[in-house]
C-alpha cells in the first residue's frame, strides 16, 4: 500500500536582536497593551519595551533635553542615551483610544528642521558591527514633504517621507516610515528639513536594531524525488530557504 507524502517545513529565525525602540507619543496614555511605566519612561507594546520620552506627564522633558536613558526591547538598560533639540511637538488626534498600539505610537511627535536634531549616543558595543534605523513620521498634514538625514560620523543617509494625512493604521515605506542601513558608529544624529522656513520633519517613532533590516523567512524551492512512498522506504528531499536559521520538517 502506498501512502501520500505530506511534508511541512517550519522556519526558525532565531532570537530577535536587542533593538532599541522609542515612541515620541508625548503622554502617559494607556491603551491596549501599550502601557507607560513609572515616570513615563517605557511603553510596552506586546512583548517589546518602547522608551517613552514624554513631553507631558511625570517626567515633563519639554522640547529639548539631554541624556535620557534608553532600555532595549527586553526592558534592560542599554547604556544608550537620547538627546533632543526640537522646536515643536504636538498630538495628531488620530483617535488612538479606539485604535491600536500603533495609533498610540503615531499619536505624538517631535519636529526638527534647520539646526534642530535628535541624537542617540553610547549605543552598545555590539552595534559597532553594523545597525539599521527605522524612522516613523506622521505630522497629520496633507502634502508635507519631510526629509530625514541619519549620520553616525562616517555614513550619512537621507530619506524622505511624504505625509498625506492622518495615520490610518497601515505602515507604508515613504508615506509614514523610512528605513536606513549601513551604520556602525556608536553615536547617531537625525536632522530634518534643511531650512528654517521649512515645515518640520515629524519623528513619531524610532527603532535602532543591530544588523540589516530583517526579511521574512521564505522557502524559495522544495523538491522530493517521490510523492508516494511505501512503509520502510525512503524519499530524498531538497530545499532552499532565505531568512531562516533553522528548518524543522
Amino acid at each position: 500500500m502506498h501512502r501520500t507524502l505530506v511534508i511541512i517545513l517550519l522556519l526558525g529565525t532565531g532570537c530577535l536582536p536587542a533593538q532599541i525602540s522609542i515612541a515620541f507619543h508625548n503622554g502617559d496614555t494607556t491603551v491596549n497593551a501599550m502601557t507607560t511605566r513609572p515616570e513615563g519612561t517605557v511603553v510596552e507594546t506586546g512583548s517589546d519595551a518602547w522608551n517613552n520620552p514624554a513631553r507631558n506627564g511625570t517626567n515633563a522633558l519639554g522640547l529639548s533635553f539631554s541624556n535620557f536613558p534608553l532600555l532595549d526591547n527586553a526592558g534592560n538598560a542599554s547604556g544608550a542615551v537620547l538627546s533632543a533639540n526640537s522646536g515643536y511637538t504636538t498630538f495628531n488626534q488620530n483617535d488612538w483610544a479606539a485604535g491600536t498600539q500603533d495609533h498610540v505610537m503615531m499619536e505624538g511627535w517631535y519636529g526638527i528642521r534647520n539646526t534642530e536634531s535628535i541624537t542617540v549616543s553610547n549605543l552598545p558595543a555590539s552595534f559597532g558591527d553594523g545597525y539599521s534605523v527605522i524612522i516613523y513620521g506622521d505630522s497629520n498634514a496633507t502634502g508635507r514633504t519631510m526629509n530625514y538625514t541619519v549620520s553616525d560620523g562616517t555614513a550619512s543617509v537621507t530619506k524622505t517621507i511624504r505625509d498625506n494625512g492622518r495615520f490610518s493604521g497601515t505602515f507604508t515605506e515613504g508615506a509614514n516610515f523610512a528605513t536606513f542601513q549601513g551604520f556602525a558608529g556608536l553615536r547617531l544624529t537625525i536632522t530634518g528639513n534643511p531650512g528654517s522656513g521649512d515645515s518640520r520633519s515629524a519623528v513619531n517613532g524610532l527603532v535602532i536594531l543591530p544588523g540589516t533590516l530583517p526579511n521574512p523567512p521564505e522557502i524559495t524551492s522544495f523538491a522530493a524525488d517521490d510523492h508516494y512512498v511505501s512503509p520502510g522506504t525512503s524519499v530524498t528531499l531538497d530545499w532552499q530557504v532565505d531568512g531562516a536559521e533553522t528548518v524543522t520538517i
Side-chain angles (χ1 to χ4, degrees), residues 131-135 150 178-183 188 190 206-209 211 213:
Y131 61 90
S132 304
V133 174
I134 306 172
I135 296 175
V150 180
T179 57
F180 305 76
Q181 301 191 68
F183 305 105
L188 70 90
I190 301 169
L206 174 64
V207 174
I208 310 164
L209 66 160
L213 292 168

Side-chain angles (χ1 to χ4, degrees), residues 68-100:
F68 179 85
L70 297 172
L71 305 184
D72 64 22
N73 66 334
N76 301 315
S78 71
V81 294
L82 173 71
S83 300
N85 172 28
S86 174
Y88 187 75
T89 182
T90 192
F91 299 96
N92 276 337
Q93 300 178 350
N94 64 8
D95 198 22
W96 60 265
T100 66

Side-chain angles (χ1 to χ4, degrees), residues 83-117:
S83 300
N85 172 28
S86 174
Y88 187 75
T89 182
T90 192
F91 299 96
N92 276 337
Q93 300 178 350
N94 64 8
D95 198 22
W96 60 265
T100 66
Q101 300 161 9
D102 294 332
H103 284 81
V104 179
M105 193 262 291
M106 297 296 281
E107 160 67 353
W109 53 277
Y110 278 69
I112 50 176
R113 69 181 180 193
N114 199 21
T115 59
E116 299 164 353
S117 63

Side-chain angles (χ1 to χ4, degrees), residues 1-219:
M1 179 177 65
H2 292 280
R3 298 184 184 275
T4 303
L5 180 65
V6 179
I7 298 172
I8 299 174
L9 296 185
L10 302 177
L11 304 184
T13 57
C15 297
L16 291 174
Q19 66 191 46
I20 296 172
S21 304
I22 305 167
F24 295 91
H25 73 80
N26 289 336
D28 291 332
T29 53
T30 299
V31 61
N32 298 331
M34 197 168 192
T35 308
T36 53
R37 293 298 189 183
E39 299 185 0
T41 55
V42 179
V43 178
E44 193 73 23
T45 307
S47 60
D48 293 338
W50 283 67
N51 296 275
N52 173 26
R55 179 194 64 167
N56 298 320
T58 54
N59 57 338
L61 291 174
L63 289 173
S64 299
F65 56 86
S66 300
N67 299 326
F68 179 85
L70 297 172
L71 305 184
D72 64 22
N73 66 334
N76 301 315
S78 71
V81 294
L82 173 71
S83 300
N85 172 28
S86 174
Y88 187 75
T89 182
T90 192
F91 299 96
N92 276 337
Q93 300 178 350
N94 64 8
D95 198 22
W96 60 265
T100 66
Q101 300 161 9
D102 294 332
H103 284 81
V104 179
M105 193 262 291
M106 297 296 281
E107 160 67 353
W109 53 277
Y110 278 69
I112 50 176
R113 69 181 180 193
N114 199 21
T115 59
E116 299 164 353
S117 63
I118 292 172
T119 302
V120 178
S121 306
N122 301 333
L123 285 166
S126 59
F127 284 62
D129 294 328
Y131 61 90
S132 304
V133 174
I134 306 172
I135 296 175
Y136 297 91
D138 175 26
S139 68
N140 209 24
T142 300
R144 178 182 293 194
T145 297
M146 303 186 297
N147 298 294
Y148 305 85
T149 298
V150 180
S151 305
D152 69 344
T154 302
S156 181
V157 181
T158 299
K159 295 287 185 75
T160 298
I161 292 176
R162 290 181 172 84
D163 188 5
N164 287 308
R166 184 173 299 170
F167 175 66
S168 64
T170 301
F171 289 110
T172 303
E173 176 88 30
N176 47 35
F177 80 94
T179 57
F180 305 76
Q181 301 191 68
F183 305 105
L186 301 185
R187 182 180 188 273
L188 70 90
T189 300
I190 301 169
T191 54
N193 281 341
S196 58
D198 295 337
S199 298
R200 285 181 168 86
S201 301
V203 181
N204 303 62
L206 174 64
V207 174
I208 310 164
L209 66 160
T212 57
L213 292 168
N215 294 316
E218 177 185 9
I219 302 170

